[in-house]
């Protein structure tokens, strides 16, 4: 993760809902909420509580489930709090108790003395682990800001690139009119998740679904076309480069050579679409999206065309057609 550090307080303040919600609250050690979370992993501290601190992953979020909570109760009965004191000598970001479990009073007090946040969630240990790993995967993912428009066309996430004024927003507006969805206009933030997936969203979620149309001004897509015309984020699966028509440039007419653009180390297919009066860009982009879906399903139109031409030549039909042509005038 680059830029601003991610703290325990940031973790508590994340606006998550549904299957991503962590439902965390702080029950002790509030003075330590500014502690930074530097590692996108969690640790079960059973051995550390017993006093074995060698190779202890103290830089991770410490997860306390039913087993760890039962062990703390045992330490309380045995009046053995030295292990807990030694545990808190490690500079850990925070401790999280699942199942709404309560730490012992000794544990809570030592956490307060060491300014270590203690959090609580009603989720099970397994469910919380799955959710917080997803959160960390997003928060710590490499990210980058792009100038362009991100739309979803037939389920394919497409970034429209091109110089200012080439018609990116107008093309995206026509796609929305045809039933597709806008993710972000003008400023797109992309993140590399799991090392091979590029997720895109608006860099500013408050204005990402607004669009600037020259001569018209700022419009709100969700208000004009409804919430079905927008989505918050989408995987980037295709880049469409819009550029002014250049008669001297040889554009790909077969599509047999796939070009790629590297985004955060991931190669994403890219196509160049020349812009000039009379070309219906939305229909071209729709066809590109459907063609990309076919490629993902294992069918390549250009490859199939080449194979059919070769078969036609091999059967001798091409020679028959050539010889039958009358070139006399």
């Amino acid at each position: 993760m680059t830029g601003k550090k991610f703290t325990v307080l940031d973790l508590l303040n994340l606006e998550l809902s549904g299957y991503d919600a962590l439902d965390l609250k702080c029950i002790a050690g509030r003075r330590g909420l500014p502690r930074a979370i530097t590692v996108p992993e969690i640790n079960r501290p059973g051995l550390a509580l017993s006093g074995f601190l060698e190779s202890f992953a103290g830089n991770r979020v410490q997860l306390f489930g039913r087993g760890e909570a039962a062990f703390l109760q045992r330490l309380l009965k045995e009046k053995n709090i030295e292990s807990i004191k030694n545990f808190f000598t490690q500079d850990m970001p925070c401790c999280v108790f699942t199942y709404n479990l309560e730490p012992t009073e000794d544990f809570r007090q030592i956490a307060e003395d060491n300014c270590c946040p203690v959090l609580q969630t009603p989720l099970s240990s397994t469910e919380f682990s799955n959710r917080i790993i997803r959160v960390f995967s997003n928060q710590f993912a490499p990210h980058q800001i792009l100038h362009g428009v991100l739309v979803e066309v037939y389920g394919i996430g497409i970034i429209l690139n091109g110089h200012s004024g080439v018609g990116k927003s107008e093309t995206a507006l026509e796609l929305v009119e045809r039933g597709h969805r806008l993710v972000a206009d003008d400023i797109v933030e992309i993140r590399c998740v799991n090392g091979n997936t590029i997720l895109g969203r608006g860099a500013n979620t408050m204005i990402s679904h607004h669009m600037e149309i020259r001569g018209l001004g700022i419009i709100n897509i969700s208000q004009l076309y409804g919430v079905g015309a927008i989505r918050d984020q989408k995987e980037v699966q295709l880049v469409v480069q819009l550029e002014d028509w250049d008669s001297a440039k040889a554009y790909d007419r077969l599509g047999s050579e796939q070009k790629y653009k590297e985004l955060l180390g991931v190669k994403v297919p890219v196509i160049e679409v020349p812009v000039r009066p009379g070309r219906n860009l939305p229909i071209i982009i729709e066809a590109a999206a459907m063609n990309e879906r076919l490629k993902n399903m294992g069918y390549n139109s250009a490859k199939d065309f080449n194979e059919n031409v070769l078969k036609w030549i091999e059967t001798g039909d091409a020679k028959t057609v050539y010889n039958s042509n009358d070139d006399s005038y």
Side-chain angles (χ1 to χ4, degrees), residues 290-300:
M290 288 187 287
N291 192 47
E292 187 63 28
R293 288 187 65 179
L294 281 176
K295 289 180 180 179
N296 294 337
M297 296 168 64
Y299 177 79
N300 189 308

Side-chain angles (χ1 to χ4, degrees), residues 145 150 183-185 187-190 200-209 231-234:
I145 301 297
L150 178 57
V183 182
D185 178 57
I187 303 177
V188 181
E189 180 187 53
I190 59 172
R201 64 181 182 183
N204 187 328
T205 56
M206 299 296 293
I207 62 174
S208 59
H209 297 137
R231 66 174 301 166
D232 293 330
Q233 70 175 9
K234 175 64 182 174

Side-chain angles (χ1 to χ4, degrees), residues 314-325:
E314 290 172 356
T315 58
D317 292 340
K319 184 177 180 180
T320 302
V321 172
Y322 178 79
N323 291 334
S324 66
N325 285 337

Side-chain angles (χ1 to χ4, degrees), residues 81-146:
I81 63 172
E82 289 302 317
S83 295
I84 301 177
K85 290 182 178 179
N86 292 334
F87 173 72
F88 277 103
T89 60
Q90 310 299 309
D91 190 21
M92 66 196 78
C94 64
C95 301
V96 179
F97 283 77
T98 56
Y99 297 101
N100 271 338
L101 294 169
E102 293 284 346
T104 63
E105 190 57 38
D106 289 334
F107 187 95
R108 190 190 297 262
Q109 186 58 52
I110 296 174
E112 288 282 359
D113 295 340
N114 287 273
C115 299
C116 180
V118 178
L119 312 181
Q120 187 184 60
T121 176
L123 299 173
S124 67
S125 299
T126 300
E127 184 62 27
F128 178 78
S129 299
N130 293 334
R131 295 189 184 190
I132 197 170
I133 289 300
R134 289 201 301 269
V135 170
F136 284 162
S137 178
N138 183 50
Q139 292 295 323
F140 286 82
H143 62 276
Q144 177 183 346
I145 301 297
L146 297 179

Side-chain angles (χ1 to χ4, degrees), residues 184-249:
D185 178 57
D186 195 35
I187 303 177
V188 181
E189 180 187 53
I190 59 172
R191 292 178 178 270
C192 179
V193 180
N194 299 326
N196 59 0
T197 302
I198 301 296
L199 291 181
R201 64 181 182 183
N204 187 328
T205 56
M206 299 296 293
I207 62 174
S208 59
H209 297 137
H210 291 70
M211 183 178 286
E212 178 194 356
I213 304 296
R214 284 175 172 80
L216 184 60
I218 304 297
I219 60 175
N220 188 325
I221 296 299
S222 62
Q223 293 294 324
L224 283 176
Y225 297 94
V227 294
I230 62 172
R231 66 174 301 166
D232 293 330
Q233 70 175 9
K234 175 64 182 174
E235 179 184 353
V236 178
Q237 298 156 286
L238 181 66
V239 175
V240 174
Q241 184 71 35
L242 302 179
E243 57 182 57
D244 293 326
W245 185 285
D246 184 359
S247 58
K249 183 175 180 179

